[in-house]
């Protein structure tokens, strides 16, 4: 299998973690990314494979797929062991919804913090406006994190065993933390879950590569005390 990934793409990291958790080998192309130009100019193979021009793109033999959720579902169908989804229809539905909440709901306010890794431009008023919007977004993120903390009360994972819901939620929580979002230390259930996942080799590798990419590419973010 071959994966088109990005150094700071949380969606591509979801796929990398799923591949590693399933013990599947793959080769990888890291598409170019900078904090000033983003993914522009886009990688030709990604443009050819994905009308949205986004990573991740996975090639498995003569099959080419894009979108992390579609890719994770394919991996489960094609390589079922170890399973990354629960077995019952209801539990699978809940698990998919939690993945969607991470990828599409919590992403919205987390996006508002992403300017912090860009080099500060000369326009101080714009930066101040971005910081005001970021603090509104942080309030939304804080509420979402407290809800996750409640959901994890008495639970090791978000839906039964370890699933794609944990992978997607971990990635967006990790991005919120890395972008200077609300600290998770006082949320006992959430931080226990987060640090346990961070020790799994697939997650540890992703965290370490994201940190290396930040050192190489990103403006340093001042993180609040945890
Ligand atoms: N829903 C898609 C989102 C993919 C996505 O947003 N990819 C970003 C990197 S994290 C990208 O390639 N952005 C470039 C662009 O949108 O032009 C997925 O789950 O794969």
């Amino acid at each position: 299998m071959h994966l088109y990934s990005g150094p700071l793409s949380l969606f591509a990291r979801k796929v990398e973690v799923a591949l590693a958790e399933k013990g599947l080998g793959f080769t990888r192309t890291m598409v170019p990314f900078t904090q000033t130009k983003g993914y522009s100019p886009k990688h030709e193979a990604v443009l050819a494979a994905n009308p949205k021009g986004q990573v991740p793109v996975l090639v498995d033999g003569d099959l080419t797929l894009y979108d992390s959720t579609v890719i994770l579902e394919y991996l489960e169908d094609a390589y079922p062991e170890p399973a990354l989804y629960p077995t019952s229809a209801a539990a699978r539905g809940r698990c998919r919804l939690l993945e969607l909440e991470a990828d599409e709901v919590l992403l919205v306010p987390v996006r508002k913090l992403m300017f912090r890794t860009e080099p500060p431009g000369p326009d101080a008023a714009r930066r101040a406006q971005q910081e005001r919007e970021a603090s509104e977004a942080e309030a939304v993120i804080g509420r979402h994190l407290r809800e996750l903390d409640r959901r994890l009360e008495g639970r090791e994972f978000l839906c039964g065993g370890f699933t794609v819901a944990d992978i997607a939620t971990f990635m967006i929580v990790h991005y919120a933390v890395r972008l200077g979002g609300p600290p998770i230390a006082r949320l006992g259930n959430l931080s226990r879950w987060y640090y346990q996942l961070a020790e799994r080799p697939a997650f540890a590798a992703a965290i370490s590569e994201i940190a290396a990419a930040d050192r190489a590419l990103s403006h340093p973010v001042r993180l609040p005390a945890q």
Side-chain angles (χ1 to χ4, degrees):
M1 273 187 273
H2 188 77
L3 179 70
Y4 291 88
S5 181
L8 288 171
S9 164
L10 74 94
F11 295 106
R13 298 292 179 185
K14 272 176 69 188
V15 175
E16 291 181 4
V17 168
L19 285 163
E21 286 282 349
K22 282 189 174 285
L24 297 168
F26 63 101
T27 53
R28 182 175 73 173
T29 300
M30 274 295 176
V31 303
F33 172 87
T34 64
Q35 289 288 358
T36 44
K37 295 201 177 116
Y39 292 90
S40 170
K42 293 200 176 181
H43 194 286
E44 268 181 33
V46 172
L47 281 175
N50 180 352
K52 294 175 151 187
Q54 295 177 328
V55 287
V57 169
L58 182 78
V59 182
D60 189 10
D62 59 5
L63 177 70
T64 299
L65 294 173
Y66 60 88
D67 191 279
S68 61
T69 299
V70 171
I71 294 171
L72 265 46
E73 289 187 338
Y74 164 73
L75 290 176
E76 188 74 1
D77 292 342
Y79 308 96
E81 294 296 332
L84 293 180
Y85 291 79
T87 38
S88 85
R92 285 169 93 90
R94 264 184 228 113
C95 172
R96 289 189 164 109
L97 204 56
L98 286 167
E99 181 189 9
L100 180 140
E101 280 175 21
D103 288 358
E104 296 184 29
V105 180
L106 189 47
L107 174 70
V108 176
V110 170
R111 249 201 193 121
K112 293 274 182 196
L113 312 186
M114 289 188 179
F115 74 94
R116 289 177 174 162
T117 52
E118 295 166 9
D123 188 345
R126 178 162 178 267
R127 194 84 178 179
Q129 175 62 24
Q130 286 174 315
E131 267 309 336
R132 275 193 294 278
E133 287 174 15
S135 60
E136 285 166 26
E138 280 173 355
V140 178
I141 296 167
R143 281 197 292 279
H144 203 118
L145 296 182
R146 287 193 291 280
E147 177 53 36
L148 283 171
D149 187 63
R150 272 192 293 278
R151 203 174 278 164
L152 283 162
E153 174 76 47
R155 289 191 181 154
E156 189 179 1
F157 299 111
L158 282 165
C159 27
F162 172 72
T163 67
V164 295
D166 298 293
I167 298 177
T169 307
F170 180 92
M171 278 306 151
I172 195 72
V173 170
H174 183 65
Y175 268 59
V177 169
R178 117 175 213 277
L179 294 163
I184 61 168
R186 268 181 245 119
L187 300 172
N189 303 315
L190 182 67
S191 52
R192 170 189 42 79
W193 165 88
Y194 175 90
Y195 288 109
Q196 260 176 25
L197 289 180
E199 282 181 10
R200 293 169 85 103
F203 287 79
I207 292 168
S208 139
E209 287 198 5
I210 292 165
D214 269 334
R215 284 193 296 277
L217 299 168
S218 300
H219 178 75
V221 176
R222 193 155 2 110
L223 300 177
Q226 282 287 313

